[in-house]
Amino acid sequence: MGGAPTDLKLIDERGLRLDGRRPDEMRPLKIEAGVLNKADGSAFVEWGMNKVMAAVYGPRECHPRHLQNTERALVQCHYNMASFSVEDRKRPGPDRRSHEISKILSEALTHVVFTEYFPRTSIDVYIEVLQANAGTRCAGLTAASVALADAGVPMRDLVASVAAGKVANTIVLDLGKEEDNFGQADIPVGYVPRTDEVVLLQMDGDLTREEFDKGLHMAVGACKKVYEVQRDALKRRYSARAEGQEEGA
Ligand code: ADP
């Protein structure tokens, strides 16, 4: 968020954005489930210029042990941005931002996983951002949900995620990098369609109550589209598996 260079027009005369999108248009989204052999479940998401891999291990013995919960499983997200994921090399290793994102994504996923089925265990979700262009926490959450389902972890539903925001006094969907840098607000949302619940909501910048409502409404509507892409990835994965089993039979 911040002041744009004076010649940078985030919305042009035709009402279009820097990359030609309409205000309520998402960047192209592709999801592939089951892309890693060694993980219990995995998913790869390409969302605009973001590339994010999610890998799930577990439920398995919880480490460190003092975190074990005798009543339920612990969902532990580990969000990491590769040093080659951004233009200037990112300093490798955890930082405040990655800790924050790991925490909020863990909380969002804990809402949908039936953690009570697996006391004392940990469900580890690794989110590796290979290429970043704003919106990586939403891409990570979207990928992680598919990876959990691919691992066969029992869940109430998938979490779908996308951000809304405000640029050049306009409420827009799915902010790109320049919009994130020079826009006025960013609201990442995680939504569970089946229960109509919001499980992730953050806000950076300034919005009136009316603008906030419009942004949230726009993001929830778009999450329903993200959800369809997630389900489609899982359907393709299961039909490929079923075909493989038939061939093996
Ligand atoms: P999100 O990726 O969820 O939108 P942020 O708003 O914190 O999260 O980051 C926006 C974008 O800024 C990222 O997607 C990435 O392109 C860039 N970015 C974040 N952290 C760094 C960093 N340490 N170095 C370079 N670019 C970064």
Side-chain angles (χ1 to χ4, degrees):
M1 307 294 113
T6 44
D7 57 345
L8 185 69
K9 265 201 169 167
L10 292 174
I11 307 261
D12 72 11
E13 301 73 25
R14 295 168 300 164
L16 299 179
R17 298 154 69 181
L18 283 179
D19 56 5
R21 281 186 287 156
R22 295 184 311 274
D24 62 349
E25 198 175 333
M26 247 172 36
R27 291 172 289 185
L29 169 63
K30 278 201 287 188
I31 307 179
E32 188 102 22
V35 288
L36 300 174
N37 287 340
K38 306 279 184 221
D40 294 321
S42 59
F44 184 58
V45 164
E46 281 185 73
W47 194 331
M49 280 189 283
N50 291 309
K51 291 184 201 269
V52 179
M53 180 72 83
V56 168
Y57 292 83
R60 63 185 181 182
E61 199 179 343
C62 182
H63 287 290
R65 274 208 131 124
H66 68 267
L67 291 178
Q68 262 187 17
N69 185 322
T70 51
E71 313 265 298
R72 53 190 68 246
L74 200 66
V75 179
Q76 303 195 79
C77 280
H78 312 267
Y79 168 100
N80 182 52
M81 255 175 52
S83 47
F84 52 80
S85 65
V86 286
E87 223 150 286
D88 310 312
R89 175 178 176 275
K90 183 204 165 274
R91 203 164 161 231
D95 50 22
R96 260 178 66 123
R97 178 176 170 275
S98 65
H99 278 297
E100 174 224 315
I101 296 179
S102 299
K103 180 174 183 290
I104 54 142
L105 299 190
S106 301
E107 286 169 0
L109 292 168
T110 299
H111 282 285
V112 289
V113 171
F114 285 105
T115 54
E116 61 273 29
Y117 291 0
F118 307 102
R120 297 177 193 279
T121 67
S122 172
I123 300 171
D124 294 303
V125 184
Y126 295 89
I127 297 169
E128 293 289 328
V129 178
L130 305 178
Q131 195 166 285
N133 199 254
T136 60
R137 72 195 64 205
C138 297
L141 183 52
T142 298
S145 300
V146 175
L148 280 164
D150 181 48
V153 172
M155 294 157 84
R156 288 177 182 83
D157 198 5
L158 300 167
V159 183
S161 180
V162 68
K166 181 178 168 185
V167 301
N169 296 321
T170 310
I171 300 300
V172 299
L173 188 64
D174 187 25
L175 274 66
K177 185 74 179 84
E178 288 78 11
E179 295 176 328
D180 186 280
N181 284 358
F182 305 120
Q184 293 152 297
D186 184 17
I187 331 170
V189 173
Y191 176 71
V192 185
R194 192 135 73 100
T195 54
D196 192 30
E197 284 174 299
V198 172
V199 292
L200 166 68
L201 180 61
Q202 296 187 292
M203 189 173 121
D204 181 8
D206 295 311
L207 291 174
T208 63
R209 173 65 203 268
E210 209 177 306
E211 288 170 335
F212 173 80
D213 285 345
K214 187 173 175 191
L216 181 61
H217 185 76
M218 198 185 256
V220 165
C223 281
K224 293 176 185 167
K225 293 184 189 155
V226 171
Y227 183 67
E228 289 311 315
V229 183
Q230 290 175 302
R231 284 171 55 103
D232 185 57
L234 287 165
K235 276 187 209 156
R236 275 185 281 119
R237 167 73 170 146
Y238 288 129
S239 48
R241 260 195 199 162
E243 271 168 33
Q245 274 168 4
E246 266 169 33
E247 273 164 27

